[in-house]
Amino acid sequence: MSMKSFPLIQLTFLSALMLIVGCGGSSDNAGGDDDTPVIAFVQTGADNDWRNAHTVSVKEAAADKGYDLRFAEGQSKQENQIKAFSSFVNQGVDAIILAPIVETGWDNVLEKAKKRNIPVVILDRKVKTDDESLYVTYIGADTYTEGKKAGKWLAEKMGGQAKVVELQGNPGASPTINRFNGFREAIADQSGIEIIASQSGEFRRSKGKEVMEAFLKKYGDDIDAVYAHNDDMAIGAIQAIEDAGMKPAEDIVIVSVDGVRAAFEAMVDGKLNCTVECNPLQGPLAMEAVEKILSGQADQLDKVTLIEDSVFEMEQAADVIESRKY
């Protein structure tokens, strides 16, 4: 398998699906202008700043290429994504970009697309399938390394001694799995780093706050650090820590993943210690892949393209916040 690394109007699901069905059209061009490629994008949802920036990036990149982009988001439910994907297949769009909410359960719809000769690009999160010919290429972050970077940073920050609580993302999602495992690899030789609790916050700020409140109630002053699989959950944890009368980033060290602007604002305010970047601006790479596929150059694409990301600490935040695009 080849691999390459690169530095680097929101609709509800039902209304999006109505739009899809209403477009009609033939299998040749899905109802669009005969000269304009019709590209479908099936997004996970719209539940945090990172995801919204990701959606905007894809939409803008499609517009830059002159494509007719059909969009649906699954409201964080795989069954919604599958319905939207199937509808796009039935329309006969020219290509489909899928950001899967979870890794498994995609084989049937991917096989339908393959039978209709509709190429599929997997974006952001990975799929797990025994038949990799069901999609052309995967483009996204190295989420395993993100977990490793977070673990390495925390071990160094805490001098190898800390009781950690973990806020996981959506169960079954590849970033959740990889950030979970990557973090543990990084601290494997750190006997003084102990994960005392780990629970899903579903990548949502409100859920992160709720889970952190439960952690504080159970473990209280025993908690030395928080590892959150995304910034939104970390911000929810910050709110819970403050509500408990404690100082985030001082009484409890916090490291998270994504690098959204809200995280930089929290670092500038002295409430978040570190964020590991996960760049959501993946639209240009996705549309470059689509362009090659539609021009018969799919064989020039690597099967996996990983986007390189950086680590940002509180002390850097004020100097770089104005340069953040998301």
Side-chain angles (χ1 to χ4, degrees):
M1 179 184 295
S2 60
M3 180 181 298
K4 183 179 289 184
S5 293
F6 281 81
L8 239 163
I9 319 176
Q10 187 56 53
L11 300 175
T12 64
F13 170 74
L14 289 177
S15 62
L17 196 55
M18 289 172 64
L19 173 62
I20 296 164
V21 174
C23 288
S26 69
S27 60
D28 293 329
N29 194 244
D33 187 299
D34 287 343
D35 295 327
T36 303
V38 178
I39 312 302
F41 176 35
V42 183
Q43 178 62 283
T44 62
D47 50 6
N48 58 61
D49 292 345
W50 191 98
R51 188 58 54 188
N52 293 333
H54 188 248
T55 296
V56 170
S57 175
V58 173
K59 288 182 175 181
E60 289 181 345
D64 289 344
K65 292 291 186 183
Y67 296 151
D68 178 358
L69 186 71
R70 309 293 171 86
F71 174 76
E73 58 96 353
Q75 296 185 332
S76 299
K77 294 181 180 180
Q78 185 181 27
E79 57 265 35
N80 289 346
Q81 285 196 296
I82 288 173
K83 289 176 184 177
F85 190 104
S86 296
S87 183
F88 286 135
V89 171
N90 291 337
Q91 280 191 60
V93 299
D94 295 299
I96 299 176
I97 300 170
L98 171 65
I101 184 70
V102 294
E103 283 189 332
T104 59
W106 298 103
D107 290 64
N108 287 341
V109 289
L110 290 174
E111 287 169 359
K112 289 179 183 178
K114 185 177 181 179
K115 288 177 181 178
R116 293 286 297 271
N117 294 316
I118 299 173
V120 177
V121 173
I122 306 298
L123 190 64
D124 173 41
R125 300 180 179 183
K126 293 182 178 180
V127 297
K128 184 177 289 185
T129 176
D130 292 331
D131 184 1
E132 292 190 345
S133 71
L134 296 178
Y135 64 93
V136 179
T137 185
Y138 164 76
I139 300 167
D142 187 349
T143 51
Y144 190 89
T145 297
E146 290 167 359
K148 286 178 64 177
K149 288 179 177 179
K152 180 181 178 182
W153 180 90
L154 187 63
E156 292 177 354
K157 174 70 174 179
M158 305 304 293
Q161 296 289 327
K163 291 183 178 179
V164 183
V165 295
E166 178 181 32
L167 295 169
Q168 296 184 38
N170 298 110
S174 60
T176 301
I177 296 167
N178 289 334
R179 290 170 187 168
F180 179 97
N181 291 327
F183 185 85
R184 280 155 178 77
E185 179 183 331
I187 65 170
D189 61 350
Q190 302 286 330
S191 60
I193 302 289
E194 178 187 0
I195 300 172
I196 60 174
S198 181
Q199 186 175 328
S200 173
E202 300 173 359
F203 286 129
R204 294 190 292 116
R205 188 173 303 188
S206 59
K207 187 67 175 180
K209 182 175 186 288
E210 176 186 322
V211 174
M212 190 64 202
E213 287 171 343
F215 286 161
L216 287 165
K217 184 175 181 180
K218 183 172 183 179
Y219 299 101
D221 293 339
D222 287 341
I223 300 173
D224 297 313
V226 175
Y227 166 45
H229 287 198
N230 81 340
D231 292 334
D232 274 79
M233 292 188 296
I235 292 169
I238 287 169
Q239 295 168 352
I241 292 167
E242 289 181 321
D243 288 348
M246 306 173 73
K247 293 183 178 180
E250 293 183 27
D251 296 327
I252 298 177
V253 170
I254 307 169
V255 58
S256 59
V257 182
D258 272 355
V260 299
R261 187 177 182 87
F264 280 80
E265 291 170 350
M267 289 192 290
V268 170
D269 291 339
K271 297 180 180 182
L272 177 67
N273 300 90
C274 177
T275 183
V276 179
E277 183 181 41
C278 178
N279 195 322
L281 306 182
Q282 300 171 2
L285 285 176
M287 292 306 160
E288 287 171 14
V290 167
E291 185 175 45
K292 285 187 176 181
I293 291 167
L294 297 183
S295 62
Q297 302 177 62
D299 59 343
Q300 296 182 16
L301 293 170
D302 292 282
K303 193 66 177 181
V304 175
T305 297
L306 298 178
I307 301 168
E308 295 179 2
D309 295 310
S310 303
V311 177
F312 295 93
E313 297 181 282
M314 180 191 295
E315 294 75 15
Q316 302 169 266
D319 292 333
V320 299
I321 188 170
E322 293 306 321
S323 67
R324 306 304 293 170
K325 296 180 179 179
Y326 50 91

